[in-house]
Amino acid sequence: ASSALLKRVDIAIETGRERLAIEIKSAERVQSSDLRGLRQFLVDYPGSRGLCLCRAERAFALDKIDCLPWRSFFKEILCAG
């Protein structure tokens, strides 16, 4: 991903199928204002998927963005292989 993409989000992954933008927050409670850069990324790159990883106990959606506990996310990724 180019550095221009990363100015709005923490991680941008582009595959042949999709563009995934990930914002990582250390907070347990993520608020809409915390996702400003991620929302702008989704406007600038229509069709992209946005994901927020945080310290929440359970997954939830905020502003149509999936917010997932970072531990669950990485456990799933590491165990998928």
Side-chain angles (χ1 to χ4, degrees), residues 19-33:
R19 183 180 291 130
L20 176 64
I22 301 175
E23 186 69 28
I24 301 172
K25 297 295 181 187
S26 62
E28 289 180 30
R29 297 177 189 228
V30 177
Q31 299 182 7
S32 183
S33 60

Side-chain angles (χ1 to χ4, degrees), residues 28-64:
E28 289 180 30
R29 297 177 189 228
V30 177
Q31 299 182 7
S32 183
S33 60
D34 297 324
L35 302 178
R36 190 175 320 127
L38 184 52
R39 282 194 315 275
Q40 186 60 52
F41 182 97
L42 298 175
V43 169
D44 293 346
Y45 300 94
S48 298
R49 180 174 173 220
L51 187 63
C52 175
L53 304 181
C54 59
R55 292 180 35 227
E57 293 292 321
R58 294 187 190 101
F60 63 96
L62 181 63
D63 298 335
K64 299 181 183 179

